[in-house]
Coordinates of all heavy atoms in Angstrom, one line a residue:
M1 N 0.9 -1.2 0.0 CA 0.0 0.0 0.0 C 0.9 1.2 0.0 O 1.8 1.4 0.8 CB -0.9 -0.1 1.2 CG -1.6 1.3 1.5 SD -2.8 1.2 2.9 CE -2.2 0.1 4.1
A2 N 0.7 2.1 -0.9 CA 1.5 3.4 -1.0 C 0.9 4.4 -0.1 O -0.3 4.8 -0.2 CB 1.5 3.9 -2.4
R3 N 1.7 4.8 0.9 CA 1.2 5.9 1.9 C 1.5 7.2 1.3 O 2.5 7.4 0.7 CB 1.9 5.7 3.2 CG 1.5 4.5 3.9 CD 2.2 4.4 5.3 NE 1.6 3.3 6.0 CZ 0.5 3.4 6.8 NH1 0.0 4.6 7.0 NH2 0.1 2.4 7.5
G4 N 0.6 8.2 1.6 CA 0.9 9.6 1.3 C 1.9 10.2 2.2 O 1.9 9.9 3.4
T5 N 2.8 11.0 1.6 CA 3.8 11.6 2.5 C 3.3 13.0 2.9 O 2.8 13.8 2.2 CB 5.2 11.8 1.6 OG1 5.5 10.5 1.2 CG2 6.2 12.4 2.5
I6 N 3.5 13.3 4.2 CA 3.1 14.6 4.8 C 4.3 15.5 4.8 O 5.4 15.2 5.0 CB 2.7 14.3 6.3 CG1 1.5 13.4 6.3 CG2 2.4 15.7 6.9 CD1 1.1 13.0 7.7
T7 N 4.0 16.8 4.4 CA 5.1 17.8 4.4 C 5.5 18.1 5.8 O 4.6 18.3 6.7 CB 4.5 19.1 3.7 OG1 4.1 18.8 2.4 CG2 5.6 20.2 3.6
L8 N 6.8 18.2 6.0 CA 7.4 18.4 7.3 C 8.0 19.8 7.3 O 8.7 20.2 6.5 CB 8.4 17.4 7.6 CG 9.2 17.4 8.9 CD1 8.2 17.2 10.1 CD2 10.3 16.4 9.0
T9 N 7.6 20.6 8.4 CA 8.1 22.0 8.5 C 9.0 22.0 9.7 O 8.7 21.5 10.8 CB 6.9 22.9 8.7 OG1 6.1 22.8 7.6 CG2 7.4 24.3 8.9
Q10 N 10.1 22.7 9.5 CA 11.1 22.9 10.6 C 10.7 24.1 11.5 O 10.4 25.2 11.1 CB 12.5 23.2 10.1 CG 13.6 23.4 11.1 CD 13.9 22.2 11.9 OE1 14.1 21.1 11.4 NE2 14.0 22.3 13.2
G11 N 10.6 23.8 12.8 CA 10.3 24.8 13.8 C 11.5 25.6 14.1 O 12.6 25.2 14.0
T12 N 11.3 27.0 14.4 CA 12.4 27.8 14.8 C 12.0 28.6 16.1 O 10.9 28.7 16.5 CB 12.6 28.9 13.7 OG1 11.5 29.7 13.6 CG2 12.9 28.2 12.3
R13 N 13.0 29.2 16.7 CA 12.7 30.1 17.9 C 11.9 31.2 17.6 O 11.2 31.7 18.4 CB 14.1 30.5 18.5 CG 14.9 29.4 19.1 CD 16.1 29.9 19.7 NE 17.0 28.9 20.2 CZ 17.1 28.5 21.5 NH1 16.5 29.2 22.4 NH2 17.9 27.5 21.8
A14 N 12.0 31.7 16.4 CA 11.2 32.9 16.0 C 9.7 32.6 15.7 O 8.9 33.4 15.5 CB 11.8 33.6 14.7
G15 N 9.4 31.3 15.7 CA 8.1 30.8 15.4 C 8.0 30.2 14.0 O 9.0 30.2 13.3
T16 N 6.9 29.5 13.8 CA 6.9 28.7 12.5 C 5.5 29.0 11.9 O 4.5 29.0 12.6 CB 7.0 27.2 12.8 OG1 8.2 27.0 13.4 CG2 6.8 26.4 11.6
T17 N 5.5 29.2 10.6 CA 4.3 29.2 9.9 C 3.9 27.8 9.6 O 4.6 27.0 9.0 CB 4.4 30.0 8.5 OG1 4.9 31.3 8.8 CG2 3.2 30.0 7.7
L18 N 2.7 27.4 10.1 CA 2.3 26.0 10.0 C 2.1 25.7 8.5 O 1.6 26.5 7.7 CB 1.0 25.8 10.8 CG 1.2 25.9 12.3 CD1 -0.2 25.6 12.9 CD2 2.1 24.8 12.8
P19 N 2.4 24.4 8.2 CA 2.2 24.0 6.8 C 0.7 23.8 6.6 O 0.0 23.7 7.5 CB 2.9 22.6 6.7 CG 2.9 22.2 8.2 CD 3.1 23.4 9.0
A20 N 0.3 23.8 5.3 CA -1.1 23.4 5.0 C -1.4 22.1 5.6 O -0.5 21.2 5.5 CB -1.3 23.5 3.5
A21 N -2.5 21.9 6.1 CA -3.0 20.6 6.6 C -3.1 19.6 5.5 O -3.6 19.9 4.5 CB -4.2 20.8 7.5
T22 N -2.8 18.4 5.8 CA -3.0 17.3 4.9 C -4.3 16.6 5.2 O -4.4 16.2 6.4 CB -1.8 16.3 5.0 OG1 -0.6 17.0 4.6 CG2 -2.0 15.1 4.0
T23 N -5.1 16.4 4.3 CA -6.4 15.7 4.5 C -6.1 14.3 4.7 O -5.4 13.7 4.0 CB -7.4 15.9 3.3 OG1 -7.6 17.3 3.1 CG2 -8.7 15.2 3.6
G24 N -6.7 13.7 5.8 CA -6.5 12.3 6.1 C -7.0 11.4 5.0 O -8.0 11.6 4.3
D25 N -6.2 10.3 4.7 CA -6.5 9.3 3.7 C -6.8 8.0 4.5 O -5.8 7.3 4.9 CB -5.4 9.2 2.7 CG -5.7 8.1 1.6 OD1 -6.6 7.3 1.8 OD2 -5.0 8.2 0.6
A26 N -8.1 7.7 4.7 CA -8.4 6.5 5.5 C -8.1 5.3 4.8 O -8.0 4.2 5.4 CB -9.9 6.6 5.9
T27 N -7.9 5.3 3.5 CA -7.6 4.0 2.8 C -6.1 3.7 2.7 O -5.7 2.6 3.0 CB -8.1 4.2 1.3 OG1 -9.5 4.4 1.3 CG2 -7.8 2.9 0.5
N28 N -5.3 4.7 2.4 CA -3.8 4.4 2.2 C -3.0 4.9 3.4 O -1.8 4.4 3.5 CB -3.3 5.1 0.9 CG -4.0 4.6 -0.3 OD1 -4.1 3.4 -0.5 ND2 -4.5 5.5 -1.1
G29 N -3.5 5.8 4.2 CA -2.7 6.2 5.4 C -1.6 7.2 4.9 O -1.6 7.7 3.8
H30 N -0.7 7.6 5.9 CA 0.3 8.6 5.7 C 1.6 8.2 6.3 O 1.6 7.3 7.1 CB -0.2 10.0 6.3 CG -1.4 10.5 5.6 ND1 -1.5 11.2 4.5 CD2 -2.7 10.3 6.1 CE1 -2.7 11.5 4.2 NE2 -3.5 11.0 5.2
Q31 N 2.6 8.9 5.9 CA 4.0 8.7 6.6 C 4.7 10.1 6.6 O 4.4 10.9 5.7 CB 4.8 7.7 5.9 CG 5.2 8.0 4.4 CD 5.9 6.9 3.8 OE1 6.1 5.8 4.3 NE2 6.4 7.1 2.6
V32 N 5.6 10.2 7.5 CA 6.4 11.4 7.6 C 7.8 11.0 8.2 O 7.8 10.1 9.0 CB 5.7 12.5 8.5 CG1 5.5 12.1 9.9 CG2 6.4 13.8 8.4
A33 N 8.8 11.7 7.7 CA 10.2 11.4 8.2 C 10.2 11.7 9.7 O 9.7 12.7 10.2 CB 11.2 12.4 7.5
N34 N 10.8 10.8 10.5 CA 10.8 10.9 11.9 C 12.3 10.8 12.4 O 13.0 9.9 12.1 CB 10.0 9.7 12.5 CG 10.0 9.7 14.0 OD1 10.1 10.7 14.7 ND2 9.8 8.5 14.6
D35 N 12.7 11.8 13.2 CA 14.0 11.7 13.9 C 13.8 11.9 15.4 O 14.7 12.4 16.1 CB 14.9 12.8 13.3 CG 14.4 14.2 13.6 OD1 13.3 14.4 14.1 OD2 15.1 15.1 13.2
S36 N 12.7 11.5 15.9 CA 12.3 11.6 17.4 C 12.0 13.0 17.8 O 11.7 13.3 19.0 CB 13.4 11.0 18.3 OG 13.5 9.6 18.0
R37 N 12.1 14.1 16.9 CA 11.9 15.4 17.3 C 10.7 16.0 16.5 O 10.6 17.1 16.0 CB 13.0 16.3 17.0 CG 14.3 15.9 17.7 CD 15.5 16.8 17.3 NE 15.3 17.3 16.0 CZ 16.1 18.2 15.4 NH1 17.1 18.6 16.1 NH2 15.9 18.6 14.2
L38 N 9.6 15.2 16.5 CA 8.5 15.4 15.7 C 7.2 15.7 16.5 O 7.0 15.1 17.5 CB 8.2 14.1 14.9 CG 7.2 14.1 13.7 CD1 7.6 15.1 12.7 CD2 7.2 12.7 13.1
L39 N 6.5 16.7 16.0 CA 5.1 17.0 16.6 C 4.1 16.8 15.5 O 4.4 17.3 14.3 CB 5.1 18.5 17.1 CG 5.9 19.0 18.3 CD1 5.7 20.4 18.5 CD2 5.5 18.1 19.5
I40 N 3.1 16.1 15.8 CA 2.0 16.0 14.9 C 0.8 16.7 15.4 O 0.4 16.5 16.6 CB 1.6 14.5 14.7 CG1 2.8 13.7 14.1 CG2 0.4 14.3 13.8 CD1 3.3 14.1 12.7
I41 N 0.2 17.6 14.6 CA -1.1 18.2 15.0 C -2.2 17.6 14.3 O -2.2 17.5 13.0 CB -1.0 19.7 14.6 CG1 0.1 20.4 15.3 CG2 -2.4 20.4 15.0 CD1 0.4 21.8 14.8
G42 N -3.1 16.9 15.0 CA -4.3 16.3 14.4 C -5.5 17.2 14.7 O -5.7 17.6 15.8
K43 N -6.4 17.3 13.7 CA -7.6 18.1 13.9 C -8.7 17.4 13.2 O -8.7 16.8 12.1 CB -7.4 19.5 13.2 CG -8.7 20.3 13.4 CD -8.5 21.7 12.8 CE -9.8 22.5 13.1 NZ -9.7 23.9 12.6
N44 N -9.8 17.3 14.0 CA -11.1 16.7 13.6 C -12.0 17.8 13.1 O -12.5 18.5 13.9 CB -11.7 15.8 14.7 CG -13.0 15.2 14.3 OD1 -13.4 15.3 13.2 ND2 -13.6 14.5 15.2
T45 N -12.2 17.8 11.8 CA -13.1 18.9 11.2 C -14.5 18.4 11.2 O -15.4 19.2 10.8 CB -12.6 19.3 9.8 OG1 -12.7 18.1 9.0 CG2 -11.2 19.8 9.8
G46 N -14.8 17.2 11.6 CA -16.2 16.7 11.6 C -17.0 17.0 12.7 O -16.6 17.6 13.7
A47 N -18.2 16.4 12.7 CA -19.2 16.6 13.8 C -19.2 15.4 14.8 O -20.0 15.5 15.8 CB -20.6 16.8 13.2
T48 N -18.5 14.4 14.6 CA -18.4 13.2 15.5 C -16.9 12.9 15.8 O -16.0 13.3 15.1 CB -19.1 12.0 14.9 OG1 -18.4 11.6 13.7 CG2 -20.6 12.3 14.6
S49 N -16.7 12.2 16.9 CA -15.4 11.8 17.3 C -14.7 10.9 16.2 O -15.4 10.1 15.5 CB -15.4 11.0 18.6 OG -15.8 11.8 19.6
R50 N -13.4 11.1 16.0 CA -12.6 10.3 15.1 C -11.3 9.9 15.7 O -10.9 10.5 16.7 CB -12.3 11.1 13.8 CG -13.5 11.7 13.1 CD -14.3 10.5 12.4 NE -15.4 11.1 11.6 CZ -16.4 10.4 11.2 NH1 -16.4 9.1 11.4 NH2 -17.4 10.9 10.5
T51 N -10.6 8.9 15.1 CA -9.4 8.4 15.7 C -8.2 8.6 14.7 O -8.4 8.7 13.5 CB -9.4 6.9 16.1 OG1 -9.7 6.2 14.9 CG2 -10.5 6.7 17.2
I52 N -7.1 8.7 15.3 CA -5.8 8.8 14.6 C -4.9 7.8 15.3 O -4.9 7.7 16.5 CB -5.2 10.3 14.6 CG1 -3.9 10.4 13.8 CG2 -4.9 10.7 16.0 CD1 -3.4 11.8 13.5
T53 N -4.2 7.0 14.4 CA -3.4 5.9 14.9 C -1.9 6.1 14.4 O -1.7 6.3 13.2 CB -3.9 4.5 14.4 OG1 -5.3 4.4 14.8 CG2 -3.1 3.4 15.0
F54 N -1.0 6.0 15.3 CA 0.4 6.0 15.0 C 1.0 4.6 15.2 O 0.9 4.0 16.2 CB 1.2 7.0 16.0 CG 0.5 8.4 16.0 CD1 -0.3 8.7 17.0 CD2 0.8 9.2 15.0 CE1 -0.9 10.0 17.0 CE2 0.2 10.5 15.0 CZ -0.6 10.9 16.0
L55 N 1.5 4.1 14.0 CA 1.9 2.7 14.0 C 3.4 2.5 14.3 O 4.2 3.0 13.6 CB 1.6 2.1 12.6 CG 0.1 2.2 12.1 CD1 0.0 1.9 10.7 CD2 -0.7 1.3 13.0
P56 N 3.7 1.7 15.3 CA 5.1 1.4 15.6 C 5.7 0.5 14.6 O 5.0 -0.3 13.9 CB 5.1 0.8 17.0 CG 3.7 0.3 17.2 CD 2.8 1.1 16.3
S57 N 7.0 0.6 14.4 CA 7.7 -0.3 13.4 C 8.4 -1.4 14.1 O 8.7 -2.4 13.5 CB 8.7 0.5 12.6 OG 9.7 1.0 13.5
R58 N 8.5 -1.4 15.4 CA 9.1 -2.4 16.2 C 8.3 -3.7 16.3 O 7.1 -3.6 16.4 CB 9.4 -1.8 17.6 CG 10.2 -2.7 18.5 CD 10.5 -2.0 19.8 NE 9.3 -1.4 20.5 CZ 8.9 -1.8 21.6 NH1 9.6 -2.8 22.3 NH2 7.8 -1.4 22.2
L59 N 9.0 -4.8 16.3 CA 8.4 -6.1 16.5 C 8.8 -6.6 17.8 O 9.9 -6.4 18.3 CB 8.8 -7.0 15.4 CG 8.5 -6.6 13.9 CD1 9.0 -7.7 13.0 CD2 6.9 -6.5 13.7
V60 N 7.9 -7.4 18.4 CA 8.1 -8.1 19.7 C 7.9 -9.6 19.4 O 6.8 -10.0 19.0 CB 7.3 -7.6 20.8 CG1 7.5 -8.4 22.1 CG2 7.5 -6.1 21.1
D61 N 9.0 -10.3 19.5 CA 8.9 -11.8 19.2 C 8.4 -12.0 17.8 O 7.6 -13.0 17.5 CB 8.0 -12.5 20.2 CG 8.7 -12.6 21.6 OD1 9.9 -12.5 21.7 OD2 7.9 -12.6 22.6
G62 N 8.7 -11.1 16.9 CA 8.3 -11.3 15.5 C 6.9 -10.8 15.2 O 6.5 -10.9 14.1
L63 N 6.2 -10.3 16.2 CA 4.9 -9.8 16.0 C 4.8 -8.3 16.0 O 5.5 -7.7 16.8 CB 4.0 -10.5 17.1 CG 3.9 -12.0 17.1 CD1 3.1 -12.4 18.3 CD2 3.3 -12.5 15.9
A64 N 3.9 -7.7 15.2 CA 3.7 -6.3 15.2 C 3.1 -5.8 16.6 O 2.3 -6.6 17.2 CB 2.8 -5.9 14.1
V65 N 3.5 -4.7 17.0 CA 3.0 -4.1 18.2 C 1.7 -3.3 17.9 O 1.7 -2.6 16.9 CB 4.1 -3.2 18.9 CG1 3.6 -2.6 20.2 CG2 5.3 -4.0 19.2
T66 N 0.8 -3.3 18.8 CA -0.5 -2.5 18.6 C -0.1 -1.0 18.5 O 0.7 -0.5 19.3 CB -1.4 -2.8 19.8 OG1 -1.7 -4.1 19.8 CG2 -2.7 -2.0 19.5
G67 N -0.8 -0.3 17.6 CA -0.6 1.1 17.4 C -1.1 1.9 18.5 O -2.0 1.5 19.3
R68 N -0.6 3.2 18.6 CA -1.0 4.1 19.6 C -2.3 4.9 19.0 O -2.2 5.6 18.0 CB 0.1 5.2 19.8 CG -0.2 6.4 20.6 CD 1.0 7.2 20.8 NE 0.6 8.5 21.2 CZ 1.5 9.5 21.2 NH1 2.8 9.3 20.9 NH2 1.1 10.7 21.6
V69 N -3.4 4.6 19.5 CA -4.7 5.2 19.0 C -5.1 6.3 19.9 O -5.2 6.2 21.1 CB -5.8 4.1 19.0 CG1 -7.1 4.7 18.5 CG2 -5.4 2.9 18.1
E70 N -5.4 7.5 19.3 CA -5.8 8.7 20.0 C -7.2 9.1 19.4 O -7.4 9.0 18.2 CB -4.8 9.8 19.8 CG -3.4 9.5 20.3 CD -3.3 9.5 21.8 OE1 -4.3 9.9 22.5 OE2 -2.3 9.1 22.3
T71 N -8.1 9.5 20.3 CA -9.4 10.0 19.9 C -9.5 11.5 19.8 O -9.0 12.2 20.8 CB -10.5 9.4 20.8 OG1 -10.4 8.0 20.8 CG2 -11.8 9.9 20.4
L72 N -10.0 12.1 18.7 CA -10.2 13.5 18.6 C -11.7 13.8 18.6 O -12.4 13.2 17.8 CB -9.6 14.0 17.3 CG -8.1 13.9 17.1 CD1 -7.7 14.1 15.6 CD2 -7.4 14.9 17.9
A73 N -12.1 14.5 19.6 CA -13.6 14.9 19.7 C -13.9 15.8 18.5 O -13.0 16.3 17.8 CB -13.8 15.6 21.0
A74 N -15.2 15.9 18.2 CA -15.7 16.8 17.1 C -15.1 18.2 17.2 O -15.1 18.8 18.3 CB -17.2 16.8 17.1
G75 N -14.4 18.7 16.2 CA -13.9 20.0 16.2 C -12.6 20.2 16.9 O -12.1 21.3 17.0
E76 N -12.1 19.2 17.5 CA -10.9 19.3 18.4 C -9.6 19.2 17.6 O -9.5 18.4 16.7 CB -11.0 18.2 19.4 CG -9.8 18.2 20.4 CD -9.9 17.0 21.4 OE1 -10.0 15.9 21.0 OE2 -9.8 17.3 22.6
S77 N -8.6 19.9 18.1 CA -7.2 19.8 17.7 C -6.4 19.3 18.8 O -6.6 19.7 19.9 CB -6.6 21.1 17.1 OG -7.3 21.5 16.0
Q78 N -5.4 18.4 18.5 CA -4.5 18.0 19.5 C -3.1 17.9 19.0 O -2.9 17.6 17.8 CB -4.8 16.5 20.0 CG -6.0 16.5 21.0 CD -6.1 15.1 21.6 OE1 -5.1 14.4 21.9 NE2 -7.3 14.7 21.9
V79 N -2.1 18.1 19.8 CA -0.7 18.0 19.5 C -0.2 16.6 20.1 O -0.4 16.4 21.2 CB 0.1 19.1 20.0 CG1 1.6 19.0 19.6 CG2 -0.4 20.4 19.4
F80 N 0.5 15.9 19.2 CA 1.0 14.6 19.6 C 2.6 14.6 19.4 O 3.1 15.1 18.5 CB 0.4 13.4 18.8 CG -1.1 13.4 18.8 CD1 -1.8 13.9 17.8 CD2 -1.8 12.9 19.9 CE1 -3.2 13.9 17.8 CE2 -3.1 12.9 20.0 CZ -3.8 13.4 18.9
S81 N 3.3 13.9 20.4 CA 4.7 13.8 20.3 C 5.1 12.5 20.9 O 4.3 11.7 21.4 CB 5.4 15.0 20.9 OG 5.1 15.0 22.3
G82 N 6.4 12.3 21.1 CA 6.9 11.1 21.7 C 7.1 9.9 20.8 O 6.7 8.8 21.0
F83 N 7.6 10.2 19.5 CA 7.8 9.2 18.5 C 9.2 8.7 18.4 O 9.9 9.1 17.4 CB 7.2 9.6 17.2 CG 5.8 10.1 17.3 CD1 5.5 11.5 17.2 CD2 4.8 9.2 17.4 CE1 4.2 12.0 17.3 CE2 3.4 9.7 17.5 CZ 3.1 11.0 17.4
D84 N 9.7 8.0 19.3 CA 11.1 7.5 19.4 C 11.4 6.6 18.2 O 10.5 5.8 17.8 CB 11.3 6.7 20.7 CG 12.8 6.3 20.8 OD1 13.6 7.1 21.1 OD2 13.0 5.1 20.5
T85 N 12.5 6.9 17.5 CA 12.8 6.1 16.3 C 13.0 4.6 16.6 O 12.8 3.8 15.7 CB 14.0 6.7 15.6 OG1 15.2 6.7 16.5 CG2 13.8 8.1 15.0
G86 N 13.4 4.3 17.9 CA 13.5 2.9 18.2 C 12.2 2.1 18.2 O 12.1 1.0 17.9
D87 N 11.0 2.9 18.4 CA 9.8 2.3 18.4 C 9.0 2.5 17.1 O 8.3 1.6 16.6 CB 8.9 2.8 19.6 CG 9.4 2.4 20.9 OD1 9.9 1.3 21.0 OD2 9.2 3.2 21.9
Y88 N 9.1 3.7 16.6 CA 8.3 4.1 15.4 C 9.1 4.1 14.1 O 8.5 4.3 13.0 CB 7.7 5.5 15.6 CG 6.6 5.4 16.7 CD1 6.9 5.7 18.0 CD2 5.3 5.0 16.4 CE1 5.9 5.6 19.0 CE2 4.3 4.9 17.4 CZ 4.6 5.2 18.7 OH 3.7 5.2 19.6
G89 N 10.4 4.0 14.1 CA 11.2 4.0 12.9 C 11.5 5.4 12.4 O 11.1 6.4 13.0
T90 N 12.2 5.4 11.3 CA 12.6 6.7 10.7 C 11.5 7.3 9.8 O 11.6 8.4 9.3 CB 13.9 6.6 9.9 OG1 13.7 5.6 8.8 CG2 15.1 6.2 10.8
M91 N 10.5 6.5 9.5 CA 9.3 7.0 8.8 C 8.1 6.7 9.7 O 7.7 5.5 9.9 CB 9.1 6.3 7.5 CG 10.1 6.7 6.4 SD 10.2 8.5 6.1 CE 8.7 8.7 5.1
L92 N 7.5 7.7 10.3 CA 6.3 7.5 11.2 C 5.1 7.2 10.3 O 4.8 8.0 9.4 CB 6.1 8.7 12.0 CG 4.8 8.7 12.9 CD1 4.8 7.6 13.9 CD2 4.6 10.1 13.5
K93 N 4.4 6.1 10.6 CA 3.2 5.8 9.8 C 2.0 6.2 10.6 O 1.9 5.9 11.8 CB 3.2 4.3 9.5 CG 4.3 3.9 8.5 CD 4.3 2.4 8.3 CE 5.5 2.0 7.4 NZ 5.7 0.6 7.3
I94 N 1.1 6.9 9.9 CA -0.1 7.5 10.5 C -1.3 7.0 9.8 O -1.4 7.1 8.5 CB 0.0 9.0 10.5 CG1 1.3 9.5 11.2 CG2 -1.3 9.6 11.2 CD1 1.5 11.0 11.0
D95 N -2.3 6.5 10.5 CA -3.6 6.1 9.9 C -4.7 7.0 10.5 O -4.6 7.2 11.7 CB -3.9 4.6 10.1 CG -3.0 3.7 9.3 OD1 -2.4 4.2 8.3 OD2 -3.0 2.5 9.6
V96 N -5.7 7.3 9.7 CA -6.8 8.1 10.3 C -8.1 7.3 10.0 O -8.1 6.5 9.1 CB -7.0 9.5 9.6 CG1 -5.8 10.3 10.0 CG2 -7.1 9.4 8.2
A97 N -9.1 7.5 10.8 CA -10.3 6.7 10.6 C -11.3 7.3 9.6 O -12.2 6.7 9.1 CB -11.1 6.6 12.0
H98 N -11.0 8.6 9.2 CA -11.9 9.3 8.4 C -11.2 10.5 7.8 O -10.3 11.1 8.3 CB -13.1 9.8 9.1 CG -14.3 10.2 8.2 ND1 -14.4 11.4 7.6 CD2 -15.4 9.4 7.9 CE1 -15.5 11.4 6.9 NE2 -16.1 10.3 7.0
A99 N -11.6 10.9 6.5 CA -11.0 12.1 5.9 C -11.3 13.4 6.6 O -10.7 14.4 6.2 CB -11.5 12.2 4.4
E100 N -12.2 13.4 7.6 CA -12.4 14.6 8.4 C -11.2 15.0 9.3 O -11.2 16.0 9.9 CB -13.7 14.4 9.2 CG -15.0 14.4 8.4 CD -16.2 14.2 9.2 OE1 -16.1 13.6 10.3 OE2 -17.3 14.5 8.6
V101 N -10.3 14.0 9.4 CA -9.1 14.3 10.2 C -8.0 14.9 9.4 O -7.7 14.3 8.3 CB -8.6 13.0 10.9 CG1 -7.3 13.3 11.7 CG2 -9.6 12.4 11.9
T102 N -7.4 16.0 9.7 CA -6.3 16.6 9.0 C -5.1 16.5 9.9 O -5.1 16.4 11.1 CB -6.6 18.1 8.6 OG1 -6.7 18.9 9.8 CG2 -7.8 18.2 7.8
I103 N -3.9 16.5 9.2 CA -2.6 16.3 9.9 C -1.6 17.3 9.4 O -1.5 17.7 8.3 CB -2.0 14.9 9.5 CG1 -3.1 13.8 9.8 CG2 -0.8 14.6 10.2 CD1 -2.8 12.5 9.0
Q104 N -0.8 17.8 10.4 CA 0.3 18.7 10.1 C 1.5 18.2 10.9 O 1.3 17.7 12.0 CB 0.0 20.2 10.6 CG -1.1 20.8 9.8 CD -1.6 22.1 10.4 OE1 -2.1 22.1 11.5 NE2 -1.4 23.2 9.7
A105 N 2.7 18.3 10.3 CA 3.9 17.8 11.0 C 5.0 18.9 11.1 O 5.2 19.6 10.2 CB 4.5 16.6 10.2
I106 N 5.5 19.0 12.3 CA 6.5 20.0 12.6 C 7.7 19.3 13.3 O 7.5 18.5 14.2 CB 6.0 21.1 13.5 CG1 4.8 21.7 12.9 CG2 7.1 22.1 13.9 CD1 4.0 22.7 13.7
R107 N 8.9 19.6 12.9 CA 10.1 19.1 13.5 C 10.6 20.2 14.4 O 10.7 21.4 14.1 CB 11.2 18.8 12.5 CG 12.5 18.4 13.2 CD 13.6 18.0 12.3 NE 13.3 16.8 11.6 CZ 13.2 16.6 10.3 NH1 13.5 17.6 9.5 NH2 12.9 15.4 9.7
V108 N 10.9 19.9 15.8 CA 11.2 20.9 16.7 C 12.7 20.6 17.2 O 13.2 19.6 16.9 CB 10.3 20.8 18.0 CG1 9.0 21.3 17.6 CG2 10.3 19.5 18.6

């Protein structure tokens, strides 16, 4: 499955102009370069709760580890971090439950 790549913006001390939000692709998912200094802003533009899932790349005893699932209430934005490359790899894979979820990525 070909994942869509999210544009990554470098944060600065002077502030950062946020990149345009990427509309969630519930079929193919997304990926973004990860160096453990990554912030993901997820926004639910819909009228009902939606989920965003961050998929670890690490295996335990040869089995995939369950993804980190976060719930976004209707109209809510949240900032997510803590994507260690040892767990999530150098390409963070992100899945959304619906196209009403938008994603922005910032390196800090």
Side-chain angles (χ1 to χ4, degrees):
M1 166 174 37
R3 291 183 172 271
T5 302
I6 299 172
T7 302
L8 182 61
T9 299
Q10 178 67 47
T12 67
R13 289 181 188 256
T16 300
T17 300
L18 292 177
T22 300
T23 301
D25 182 341
T27 302
N28 298 311
H30 300 277
Q31 64 183 4
V32 64
N34 180 27
D35 64 357
S36 298
R37 301 178 331 176
L38 187 61
L39 293 178
I40 299 294
I41 301 170
K43 181 176 183 177
N44 179 0
T45 62
T48 59
S49 293
R50 301 291 183 194
T51 60
I52 184 169
T53 304
F54 305 101
L55 301 170
S57 62
R58 184 172 56 114
L59 300 177
V60 175
D61 292 332
L63 301 173
V65 178
T66 303
R68 173 179 159 188
V69 179
E70 300 285 351
T71 301
L72 296 167
E76 179 182 54
S77 293
Q78 282 190 37
V79 177
F80 304 101
S81 63
F83 305 107
D84 182 75
T85 55
D87 292 329
Y88 292 93
T90 57
M91 291 301 287
L92 174 64
K93 294 178 182 170
I94 304 169
D95 288 343
V96 297
H98 197 277
E100 291 176 339
V101 176
T102 62
I103 306 164
Q104 294 168 297
I106 301 169
R107 177 177 289 129
V108 292

